[in-house]
């Protein structure tokens, strides 16, 4: 079945370009276009697209608030953040708001299409190196929440092995890298990641990384 994609950007030429790229694919459909956060939320609720390509800097309601509302109201829809700079604080805010991916606007068409397919399939789209850079740059913005002994109660649901895997993920490592460091198979790591997400009620590994920092399982560099 075709992947329905809603394109959100306040620049008409960019919307047109994204729509043309999508229209050339056999497995994708441009479900609609929105030029503001408000319109993005309204159309998502109306059209229920599989993926929303979300710009972050727009007048009125920005892409961050729109992402939060979409994730809250339409949890089956995935949001892929589009931004101009690879260390844009808006991108990290978007991930914290529930976005499943992060991509630069100057990405090649093939990269954009691959990201859309990955997000639609339920995977997160943030390369480990970018995850690491985002966290190094913006994790210090996460507020301190009392003494270290005030551990998030959800962590108690994890086994020691799962906590160890989560720590590795939070440092921006891929499944293969985690598997090598913990001397386990990549398939086993994937199973642990799936269980971690289920136990913590999180959507994907990006949200797991953010949770690890916000719960203070590990501290920002």
């Amino acid at each position: 079945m075709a992947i329905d994609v809603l394109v959100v950007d306040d620049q008409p030429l960019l919307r047109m370009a994204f729509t043309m790229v999508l229209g050339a694919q056999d497995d994708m459909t441009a479900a609609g276009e929105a030029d503001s956060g408000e319109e993005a939320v309204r159309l998502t609720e109306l059209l229920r697209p599989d993926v929303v390509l979300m710009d972050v800097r727009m007048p009125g309601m920005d892409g961050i608030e729109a992402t939060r509302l979409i994730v809250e109201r339409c949890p089956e829809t995935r949001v892929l953040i589009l931004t101009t700079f690879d260390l844009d604080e808006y991108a990290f805010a978007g991930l914290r708001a529930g976005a499943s991916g992060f991509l630069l606007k100057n990405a090649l068409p093939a990269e954009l299409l691959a990201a859309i397919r990955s997000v639609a399939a339920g995977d997160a789209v943030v390369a480990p190196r970018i995850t690491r850079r985002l966290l190094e740059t913006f994790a210090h913005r996460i507020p301190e929440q009392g003494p270290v002994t005030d551990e998030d109660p959800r962590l108690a649901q994890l086994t020691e092995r799962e906590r160890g895997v989560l720590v590795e993920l939070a440092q921006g490592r891929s499944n293969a890298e985690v598997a090598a460091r913990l001397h386990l198979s990549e398939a086993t790591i994937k199973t642990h990641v799936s269980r971690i997400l289920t136990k913590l009620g999180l959507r994907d590994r990006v949200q797991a990384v953010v949770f690890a920092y916000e719960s203070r399982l590990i501290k920002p560099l």
Side-chain angles (χ1 to χ4, degrees):
M1 295 180 63
I3 301 170
D4 292 329
V5 182
L6 176 65
V7 178
V8 183
D9 200 293
D10 63 341
Q11 298 183 46
L13 287 178
L14 280 178
R15 292 200 307 274
M16 182 176 68
F18 289 136
T19 298
M20 289 177 62
V21 171
L22 295 172
Q25 307 306 306
D26 294 332
D27 62 340
M28 295 185 191
T29 301
E33 298 180 17
D35 61 3
S36 67
E38 293 90 346
E39 184 71 355
V41 175
R42 187 187 72 80
L43 286 180
T44 299
E45 291 184 297
L46 177 65
L47 302 173
R48 301 287 171 164
D50 299 301
V51 177
V52 175
L53 290 182
M54 180 70 74
D55 185 23
V56 287
R57 299 188 181 188
M58 296 179 289
M61 180 189 294
D62 64 17
I64 306 306
E65 178 62 12
T67 295
R68 187 187 68 78
L69 292 175
I70 287 171
V71 170
E72 178 183 296
R73 299 177 186 179
C74 308
E76 72 282 3
T77 295
R78 300 282 175 162
V79 179
L80 178 59
I81 291 287
L82 296 173
T83 187
T84 304
F85 304 104
D86 62 354
L87 285 182
D88 192 332
E89 64 181 289
Y90 285 92
F92 187 61
L95 297 178
R96 295 181 71 188
S100 296
F102 165 87
L103 199 66
L104 297 179
K105 284 187 177 180
N106 64 358
L108 297 174
E111 294 174 326
L112 172 65
L113 296 172
I116 292 172
R117 293 185 180 104
S118 293
V119 167
D123 295 328
V125 180
V126 182
R129 64 179 181 82
I130 294 184
T131 300
R132 196 175 296 123
R133 291 176 65 190
L134 281 168
L135 292 172
E136 287 173 352
T137 304
F138 299 110
H140 69 277
R141 297 173 184 267
I142 298 174
E144 293 292 325
Q145 301 176 357
V148 176
T149 53
D150 291 345
E151 182 176 273
D152 190 301
R154 286 180 290 175
L155 286 172
Q157 302 177 60
L158 303 181
T159 65
E160 284 302 311
R161 174 64 77 189
E162 289 165 349
R163 286 171 71 114
V165 170
L166 181 54
V167 167
E168 296 293 331
L169 294 181
Q171 296 178 62
R173 296 192 173 97
S174 66
N175 286 346
E177 291 172 330
V178 176
R181 286 176 61 85
L182 299 183
H183 306 290
L184 297 170
S185 71
E186 191 169 348
T188 298
I189 296 301
K190 289 180 179 179
T191 298
H192 282 310
V193 172
S194 178
R195 289 174 178 169
I196 290 168
L197 298 181
T198 299
K199 289 182 178 181
L200 298 180
L202 302 173
R203 299 182 61 169
D204 52 47
R205 63 187 295 131
V206 174
Q207 294 300 298
V209 170
V210 175
F211 171 83
Y213 278 86
E214 292 186 322
S215 66
R216 297 174 63 189
L217 177 61
I218 64 174
K219 292 185 177 182
L221 298 176

